[in-house]
Each structure stands twice: as C-alpha cells, then as structure tokens.
Amino acid sequence: MRTVPGYSAGIRLLPNAVTVLALCAGLSGVQFALIGRFELCVAAVGAAALCDALDGGLARLLDASSKIGAELDSLSDLVSFGVAPALVIYIWGLQGNRFGWIVALVFAVCMALRLARFNTLLDDEDQPPYAKEFFVGVPAPAAALVAGIPLYLWLHFGDGWWSSHLTVALWALVAAGLMVSRLPTLSLKTVRVPPRLIAPLLVLVGLAAAVLLTAPFLGLAVVAIGYLLLLPYTIHRHRWLARHPEAWNVPVRQRRAVARAARSARRLGLRPPLRRRVAGGASAVARRVRLIGSEDGGATGNGRPHPLPPPGPQYPKGSRRRLGLRRR
C-alpha cells in the first residue's frame, strides 16, 4: 500500500508564522499612531485581519492544528484587535479627555473576555447543531472594524461631530458591549452561496474593490455599517432555527423548503406537534391509573380485575380543545 508523505515541519509551521505576522501588524498600528500616521494604523489592523483569516484555513489545509497554535491565535487577536485599536482610538480621539483611558481599558478588557468565552464554548458539547453557524457576540476582527467607524469618517471627511470626544468614547463603548453581548452573529465560515447567486456576488465584490481603491476609508465605514445592519437578520435566523428542530440537521441550501412547509402549515391551520404541557397532562392520568391498580393489587374487591377504560383515547381536561378535537 502506497503511503502519501506528510508535509515537512517547516511547512507545518506556516500557520503559526502567519499568526505571528498578524501580531506584528497589530503592534505596528500602535507605532504608526504614535507618529500620527492614522491611515497606516487602519492598514496595519486590516493586514492583521487578513492574516487572521488565513492562518485558520492554512492550519486545516496542512493538517497542522495544535493547541499552541490555538492559544497563539487568541493572544494575537487580543493584541491586534483589542489592545492596538484601543490605543489607536485613545491616541487619536481620547487623549485630551480624562475619561479616555478608561474607555480604552474597557475596550481591551471586553476583547479579552470575548476571546475567553469563545475558547470556553469550543469545548461545550451541549450546544445544538446549529450553534456552529453563529458566534456569541461580535467577533474580534469585526469589533475592531466597527470601533474604527469614527476614525474612518475623520480620515475621509475631516473634523465633524463623529470625531468629537463624546462620540468616539460612546461608540467605543458600544463596540465593547457588542463583543461581550449574547447576540448571535453570523459565522462567515459556514455561509454557503447558491450557484445562482455566484455571478451577482462577484459583481458586488468587484464593486467593493473599486470603492475601497477610490475611497478606502469611506468604503470601510460602509462595510462596518452594513455588518451592523446584518445583525437583525442574524438574530431572526437564530431564533427561527431554535423554534424549528426539524431544520437543525438539514443542509443550509435546503432550509428554505422547510421554511416554506412551515408557512404552508400555518396557512392551512395545521397545529404543531403536542406541546410539553399536553403530554405532561396525559402522563399524569396514566400515573393515577397505575397508582389505583397498585394500591389493591390491581383487582377489585370481588377479585376481578379493574374494568378497562372506555374506548377511545383519554385526554386531560381541556386538552381536546388544544388538540383541535371535536366532542362526540
């Protein structure tokens, strides 16, 4: 039997090398902020986000996943998307405010809490099957992108209400709150594009590339705002999956058929399966019948067994109405 040789040790270290590059890019953003080159700060954090998106794919492709790589990735995310953006925002818009350093600390701490919760949920085996399609709270790169909206607008339009101390501080706190919130956010790793939407999506990608080349900071602001506008849809999708267990193990492309069947059932007036309270009432009746039989050995006073219940199913009081049954 012919064996396929594995990758060399140097190639298997490539994902960790990309993670280290992301860490260096994030720290370089702080150095650019110290010399007043805030447009390079945005570029450095963007490069860190690109490296963060590549290292996980490379690790799976090369079968080079390891515990040290996972821990290194978390530490890199904390520095690149937590500490670096907090320092950049403080140096740019909060340095003259006595509460500015508190805002920077809150943002960095919330990033650390968000990453700690993410690592904890990786080992949670009690989650439903659809949980892998969502993050709990806004992920680290998206939080850094959202927190920089006032800076993007300042780089494109100049000074305005978006660059005031109060606006920058409040918006940084909003981004920090989104990180540690329980809001479900969509995981792009599980998104599957239908074949009929591939061509329009490529057109949108080309349009986005053109906007980023001609007006990069305005384009980043539009992308960040678009991500926030996607949150209501993500929450709706998460709640829909929680209410429809029959769609949990169905491929994403086939869930539309499940949704259409559910809407058709509602239009036809069909009732959902028995609820827990109905089943509980029926089981209570069965327990009472068994209890009566066990008290006297399952027989009446003349030695005869208990008579059988009347023909037909026995329902608790009021359950006929909930089940949609008519009286005889």
Side-chain angles (χ1 to χ4, degrees):
M1 181 177 179
R2 184 180 178 182
T3 59
V4 180
Y7 295 101
S8 63
I11 296 298
R12 292 173 65 88
L13 286 177
L14 184 59
N16 292 339
V18 175
T19 304
V20 172
L21 288 178
L23 176 63
C24 295
L27 287 175
S28 299
V30 179
Q31 194 270 338
F32 292 139
L34 292 174
I35 62 176
R37 299 294 304 274
F38 295 104
E39 69 279 2
L40 295 181
C41 296
V42 176
V45 176
L50 181 61
C51 293
D52 180 70
L54 292 176
D55 59 359
L58 285 174
R60 289 186 293 269
L61 180 64
L62 302 176
D63 193 18
S65 300
S66 61
K67 291 185 177 180
I68 188 173
E71 297 297 331
L72 181 62
D73 183 71
S74 295
L75 294 175
S76 174
D77 289 349
L78 175 60
V79 174
S80 301
F81 309 121
V83 176
L87 291 176
V88 170
I89 291 174
Y90 172 76
I91 295 172
W92 166 66
L94 299 176
Q95 197 168 9
N97 190 343
R98 59 178 180 175
F99 298 107
W101 184 242
I102 298 177
V103 174
L105 288 177
V106 169
F107 187 87
V109 170
C110 287
M111 179 64 72
L113 293 175
R114 188 260 176 278
L115 293 172
R117 182 176 63 185
F118 174 78
N119 293 336
T120 303
L121 292 176
L122 289 177
D123 300 327
D124 189 3
E125 299 179 354
D126 297 331
Q127 296 185 6
Y130 64 88
K132 61 183 180 180
E133 302 178 18
F134 302 92
F135 292 118
V136 181
V138 175
L145 175 69
V146 170
I149 290 179
L151 178 59
Y152 309 149
L153 296 178
W154 177 77
L155 289 172
H156 184 81
F157 296 106
D159 291 328
W161 59 268
W162 48 82
S163 60
S164 64
H165 294 301
L166 181 61
T167 302
V168 174
L170 290 178
W171 189 250
L173 293 176
V174 168
L178 290 175
M179 282 190 289
V180 296
S181 68
R182 303 292 299 181
L183 293 177
T185 55
L186 194 63
S187 175
L188 297 180
K189 298 177 183 179
T190 60
V191 174
R192 298 292 182 270
V193 180
R196 60 186 180 84
L197 296 180
I198 292 180
L201 181 62
L202 292 177
V203 174
L204 290 178
V205 170
L207 180 62
V211 172
L212 290 176
L213 289 175
T214 55
F217 303 113
L218 181 61
L220 287 175
V222 171
V223 170
I225 294 173
Y227 179 82
L228 293 177
L229 295 178
L230 191 64
L231 290 180
Y233 164 75
T234 307
I235 296 172
H236 168 74
R237 179 176 176 179
H238 185 273
R239 292 178 177 176
W240 186 88
L241 286 173
R243 293 194 304 266
H244 295 80
E246 67 275 8
W248 289 359
N249 297 318
V250 177
V252 178
R253 68 182 67 180
Q254 299 178 8
R255 285 179 182 168
R256 293 185 177 180
V258 177
R260 287 196 297 267
R263 289 194 297 266
S264 300
R266 287 196 300 268
R267 286 196 298 267
L268 293 174
L270 300 178
R271 296 180 178 270
L274 294 177
R275 295 183 181 272
R276 186 173 299 176
R277 61 170 182 261
V278 178
S283 61
V285 174
R287 284 197 302 270
R288 286 198 296 270
V289 173
R290 288 195 301 268
L291 180 62
I292 294 174
S294 62
E295 287 178 351
D296 55 357
T300 58
N302 55 6
R304 297 179 181 178
H306 281 287
L308 294 176
Q314 301 297 311
Y315 299 96
K317 184 179 180 181
S319 62
R320 284 182 173 272
R321 184 172 58 256
R322 289 194 295 269
L323 293 174
L325 300 177
R326 297 181 178 178
R327 293 183 178 273
R328 294 181 179 179

